[in-house]
Amino acid sequence: MRELIDKLHREKVLSKAEFVELLKGFNKDDAQYLFSQSRALADELFGKKIYIRGLIEFTNFCKNDCFYCGIRRSNHQAERYRLSKEDILSCCEQGYALGFRTFVLQGGEDPWYTDEKLIDIISSIRRAYPDCAITLSLGEKTYEQYRGYYKAGANRYLLRHETANAEHYAKLHPPAQRAEDRQRCLYHLKEIGYQVGTGFMVGSPGQTTEHLAEDLLFIKKLKPHMIGIGPFIPHKDTAFAKFPAGSLDLTLFLLGLLRLMLPSALIPATTALGTIHPEGRELGILAGANVVMPNLSPVWVRKKYELYDHKICTGEEAAECRHCLQGRLQKIGYELVVSKGDYVER
Ligand code: SAM
């Protein structure tokens, strides 16, 4: 296993068969060996600094029906909400005062927010915070729509490909949602000039090691600026309620591999990782992640944006979340930085 890890470090890619071998066969010592390299590489490129992004979950209405997701259209138990432009701007104001220089607008695919409304929101944030990055995570849109948001001032876009394998994708989504459409969006976003983030869930129902190897190779080919991975976690009101959550060890191992494969990438230690283990986010940093995304949404909506069961940080104010994270990172020798944290090829 160590030869394969060394090879990945050196050549920045492995074949599908090699990734499969590694993912099937690694043990605790191999993982420690990987993390010693992936962490050292992140420290060398970014110092002991971790970027923060302020997440604003502005709507949980969604026209899609992803089988795994707690805010899917057919979950009639979900209590739906939308934030107004004023609510969103006040999240940004609070976030700015707390040292956030990136705002991430994430939501279900909610047609109530027409392009006109979205462009108004984006350009208002842009005017008020010229020194901040605006990241969108709004799902699949047309090239023209993406271009309109970019022109209004958005700089980055997060759209996980979820799984690179089309058959596996079809087991996680209804037929109207197709892997190739989602992947095409990612190429459009890159072409327009966004810094682009993609990623996948680890341990989603039906996922095999071969699928994971395909995910790694898809990411290598796309060369995104950001990569978000986290364990699948079941939600009680979905068809996947009885499936087990993805594994912590496998998620951490994949984070380490991703760092070696795309050294300059911005990789968050996700909330889902913090949900399956009390120190999941710290372990994510120690495996090679370099971003955290605390929540800036108003407390009254937090519990409603429940993608999966037992999601953490749904009760605290933004300031508490930020300080809690700062303390957690300090304990492991890292510090949060006040910075836009743009992608730089290193
Ligand atoms: N609508 C946008 C989109 O489609 O990209 C953004 C919101 S979507 C809810 C954000 C991400 O949540 C998805 O890309 C998915 O990977 C993740 N997610 C949804 N349900 C999940 C679950 N049960 N466990 C872990 N992650 C989940």
Side-chain angles (χ1 to χ4, degrees):
M1 293 298 150
R2 294 191 176 200
E3 303 80 71
L4 286 178
I5 294 170
D6 291 340
K7 184 172 177 196
L8 178 63
H9 200 164
R10 224 176 29 247
E11 298 181 12
K12 312 269 173 277
V13 73
L14 295 177
S15 68
K16 182 173 171 187
E18 287 169 328
F19 275 132
V20 169
E21 188 186 338
L22 201 49
L23 291 168
K24 275 197 173 139
F26 78 91
N27 62 26
K28 277 208 164 9
D29 289 342
D30 301 321
Q32 283 316 316
Y33 182 73
L34 168 66
F35 301 153
S36 66
Q37 299 198 25
S38 54
R39 190 59 255 162
L41 183 58
D43 287 352
E44 184 192 320
L45 299 178
F46 302 96
K48 293 277 187 182
K49 296 191 190 318
I50 303 298
Y51 297 116
I52 39 170
R53 318 310 199 183
L55 189 59
I56 305 170
E57 296 161 338
F58 70 98
T59 173
N60 71 348
F61 281 85
C62 193
K63 68 179 170 62
N64 288 339
D65 222 9
C66 311
F67 300 150
Y68 44 85
C69 186
I71 63 167
R72 63 194 296 248
R73 183 182 68 219
S74 32
N75 178 10
H76 300 296
Q77 306 301 317
E79 221 186 296
R80 307 285 172 174
Y81 73 90
R82 290 184 178 109
L83 295 187
S84 66
K85 174 179 152 187
E86 290 67 35
D87 292 331
I88 296 173
L89 284 168
S90 111
C91 293
C92 296
E93 190 183 337
Q94 214 186 346
Y96 194 88
L98 289 168
F100 288 89
R101 296 295 177 268
T102 293
F103 303 119
V104 184
L105 295 186
Q106 187 179 87
E109 288 198 24
D110 180 0
W112 185 86
Y113 292 89
T114 56
D115 290 340
E116 197 186 340
K117 284 191 181 118
L118 286 170
I119 286 171
D120 179 37
I121 293 169
I122 296 163
S123 43
S124 303
I125 303 177
R126 174 52 59 236
R127 265 196 307 278
Y129 303 99
D131 56 334
C132 293
I134 303 174
T135 305
L136 303 178
S137 181
L138 317 174
E140 294 173 41
K141 304 275 182 180
T142 65
Y143 190 94
E144 282 312 315
Q145 288 178 300
Y146 286 144
R147 211 159 61 138
Y149 311 150
Y150 187 78
K151 280 211 222 138
N155 325 83
R156 306 182 187 148
Y157 206 103
L158 305 178
L159 186 79
R160 290 182 173 184
H161 66 277
E162 312 296 2
T163 170
N165 181 282
E167 277 169 40
H168 184 222
Y169 195 94
K171 292 197 176 123
L172 303 178
H173 302 93
Q177 295 174 241
R178 300 185 320 162
E180 60 180 282
D181 295 335
R182 197 138 175 118
Q183 292 174 17
R184 187 179 328 104
C185 287
L186 286 163
Y187 285 100
H188 284 170
L189 289 161
K190 268 197 115 178
E191 199 180 306
I192 292 167
Y194 283 95
Q195 289 175 46
V196 172
T198 196
F200 56 91
M201 287 175 291
V202 180
S204 56
Q207 184 179 65
T208 64
T209 314
E210 283 72 16
H211 294 153
L212 287 171
E214 288 173 39
D215 287 323
L216 293 172
L217 289 169
F218 172 76
I219 288 176
K220 183 68 191 174
K221 185 165 134 231
L222 175 70
K223 202 171 176 294
H225 308 90
M226 302 165 283
I227 310 164
I229 69 163
F232 157 77
I233 305 176
H235 184 288
K236 59 183 183 336
D237 300 317
T238 63
F240 292 160
K242 296 274 180 294
F243 281 84
S247 130
L248 173 75
D249 290 343
L250 182 57
T251 307
L252 295 174
F253 195 76
L254 284 157
L255 281 174
L257 297 180
L258 287 165
R259 172 59 64 209
L260 292 190
M261 194 167 80
L262 292 177
S264 307
L266 294 153
I267 305 181
T270 54
T271 306
L273 200 51
T275 299
I276 57 161
H277 187 282
E279 265 113 50
R281 284 169 300 176
E282 291 91 318
L283 293 167
I285 300 292
L286 294 172
N290 64 337
V291 174
V292 286
M293 298 175 70
N295 210 314
L296 283 182
S297 315
V299 173
W300 66 271
V301 307
R302 296 271 184 101
K303 278 209 180 357
K304 298 180 182 157
Y305 198 84
E306 201 187 43
L307 308 181
Y308 44 79
D309 293 337
H310 313 300
K311 187 175 165 216
I312 54 166
C313 307
T314 54
E316 296 113 20
E317 294 288 346
E320 286 174 72
C321 272
R322 192 217 182 273
H323 293 124
C324 158
L325 264 175
Q326 183 165 334
R328 283 169 174 269
L329 294 176
Q330 264 165 8
K331 271 198 195 142
I332 56 166
Y334 287 83
E335 58 163 326
L336 287 182
V337 283
V338 175
S339 160
K340 232 165 108 173
D342 275 317
Y343 177 87
V344 178
E345 184 81 42
R346 292 167 207 253

